[in-house]
Amino acid sequence: MSTRILGIETSCDETAAAVVDDGAIVRSSVIASQHGLHQPYAGVVPELASRAHVERVLPVAEAALRGAGVGWRDLDAIAVGSRPGLIGSLLVGVGAAKALAWALERPLIGVDHVHAHMLAGLLRSPEEGGERLAPRDVFPAIGLVVSGGHTALYGVRSPVEFARLGATIDDAAGEAFDKAATILGLGYPGGPAVDALASTPGADDRRVELPVSRLGRDSLDMSFSGLKTALLYAARGVPGGPAPEAFTQSRRVNLAASFQRAVARAITLKLDRALDRAGEALGASCRAILAGGGVTANSRLRNELCELAARRGVRLVIPPLPLCVDNAAMIAGLAHHRLAAGLVDDLTLAPTPTTAG
Ligand code: KG4
Ligand code: ZN
């Protein structure tokens, strides 16, 4: 089934729109970041985010059409990230998508943002050569989402069937990176800054002993809040305890590298476990790991995921860096599969703060 879909994404602090053909070819992907707006608060302020989305959503959608060299009437469907996210932010994207779908008389497709992250590795630019993956090359798969709001493992039987196998019981990995950055005196969003610091030549990732949570022998859940507290104590000293080691640049570099090592270890440990159980979870042998979300941009995690996939003999499907973080191409990508499966919405589509699971 051939499709050309406009995707709209406003679930958090990026206003994004993209035009994607056939769930794979990204004709354009426009992202208006609000990082500058939220930087003074070291986190996203929901009311500021939704107001900024109102101003930007239509200009960003128009820019996506211009970038793709197509007109409104060339679109086959309008897709929108309708869950999970900040409710005020979601409302803006869902409202805009409904208006466009109604005015253009095109199907409306609400997409779960967390699920969309897992299919982002199937997207590519028109110039990119290389193999085009067919569903039989990829599904069934184990999905891994590691973002600022979510960290979870999934059994993915098809592009529209996701069953959660485990998830963080406290902070998401990206949230832990952002807090680690604050502890280390770096800016927001913290993940890229911690990554850069940890990649300093000479960084010693075993210098600081930090805990990797296992949560029991069988659990596929994860936890990052203890690690964050351990980093805080390692960096600043235990309350009432002896003064911490001087906060030199090399200490900071080693703390960042040790933290990043512990996060990557915690994630790959559970992914390895999920692969052990893939047969039972998927009812067939696993063909691929579908990884996505902002933290899959992390250099160390990417390397470890490549090694793990090679060791386990499964394909790693992971997006290029710009499609790891929030974007609208992944929304249009998943929408293609939903449209093909007849899973379309009507104008009663409501934004929902939680993921479908
Ligand atoms: O997927 P995303 O854009 O938004 C959510 O859906 O939450 O993920 C954003 C998160 C932020 O916490 C950011 O610090 C983290 O991804 N991130 C990274 C890197 N790039 C972005 N974390 C670690 N290393 C990176 N290179
Ligand atoms: Zn996201």
Side-chain angles (χ1 to χ4, degrees):
M1 181 182 184
S2 173
T3 61
R4 172 162 290 169
I5 298 181
L6 174 71
I8 295 177
E9 157 61 35
T10 63
S11 68
C12 189
D13 62 342
E14 321 278 8
T15 318
V19 175
V20 176
D21 288 353
D22 306 332
I25 317 272
V26 182
R27 295 276 163 210
S28 65
S29 176
V30 179
I31 303 175
S33 165
Q34 302 178 8
H35 288 165
L37 202 61
H38 303 287
Q39 189 134 31
Y41 310 97
V44 177
V45 181
E47 190 55 27
L48 292 181
S50 25
R51 286 177 197 205
H53 286 310
V54 172
E55 287 165 10
R56 297 168 193 200
V57 67
L58 286 177
V60 165
E62 282 164 350
L65 259 67
R66 269 198 310 280
V70 302
W72 293 109
R73 296 271 156 208
D74 298 322
L75 300 170
D76 298 314
I78 308 293
V80 61
S82 60
R83 67 189 306 171
L86 301 170
I87 194 71
S89 291
L90 289 168
L91 260 171
V92 179
V94 170
K98 281 183 185 178
L100 289 171
W102 179 78
L104 298 168
E105 300 178 304
R106 297 291 189 272
L108 171 70
I109 304 161
V111 164
D112 187 304
H113 172 109
V114 176
H115 298 174
H117 269 306
M118 285 182 267
L119 298 194
L122 299 174
L123 300 169
R124 62 199 170 99
S125 65
E127 304 78 44
E128 227 170 288
E131 57 175 344
R132 171 131 189 227
L133 294 174
R136 69 175 174 283
D137 301 323
V138 178
F139 301 99
I142 291 292
L144 168 72
V145 182
V146 263
S147 74
H150 295 83
T151 298
L153 286 159
Y154 287 80
V156 190
R157 285 181 186 240
S158 79
V160 295
E161 291 173 285
F162 299 84
R164 194 160 59 200
L165 305 175
T168 180
I169 57 168
D170 40 54
D171 291 352
E175 199 180 345
F177 264 104
D178 293 335
K179 288 175 180 164
T182 305
I183 292 168
L184 297 174
L186 307 169
Y188 171 84
V194 174
D195 194 351
L197 191 63
S199 308
T200 308
D204 182 354
D205 63 9
R206 284 163 199 268
R207 185 61 181 235
V208 186
E209 190 73 38
L210 294 172
V212 174
S213 75
R214 286 175 169 72
L215 299 176
R217 184 185 285 271
D218 296 326
S219 174
L220 292 178
D221 288 336
M222 291 169 257
S223 164
F224 296 97
S225 73
L227 170 60
K228 175 191 67 190
T229 310
L231 178 75
L232 179 69
Y233 287 172
R236 302 274 157 92
V238 183
E245 218 179 291
F247 212 64
T248 60
Q249 180 61 7
S250 79
R251 175 78 177 156
R252 241 150 64 133
V253 166
N254 292 338
L255 283 165
S258 302
F259 174 81
Q260 191 165 275
R261 174 173 178 268
V263 175
R265 179 94 194 92
I267 294 167
T268 49
L269 198 115
K270 294 302 167 98
L271 178 57
D272 211 11
R273 250 183 218 179
L275 288 166
D276 286 339
R277 307 226 203 113
E280 174 195 326
L282 300 169
S285 67
C286 170
R287 296 218 164 93
I289 297 165
L290 295 173
V295 183
T296 56
N298 184 266
S299 54
R300 174 152 198 156
L301 181 62
R302 286 179 91 83
N303 287 339
E304 294 200 9
L305 290 175
C306 281
E307 282 164 21
L308 176 64
R311 177 162 62 74
R312 300 294 305 236
V314 291
R315 187 188 292 275
L316 174 65
V317 181
I318 189 166
L321 297 191
L323 296 177
C324 289
V325 289
D326 286 351
N327 66 85
M330 67 182 196
I331 302 294
L334 174 50
H336 162 83
H337 299 287
R338 292 189 70 82
L339 184 60
L343 298 169
V344 296
D345 292 281
D346 60 26
L347 295 180
T348 63
L349 176 69
T352 309
T354 53
T355 173

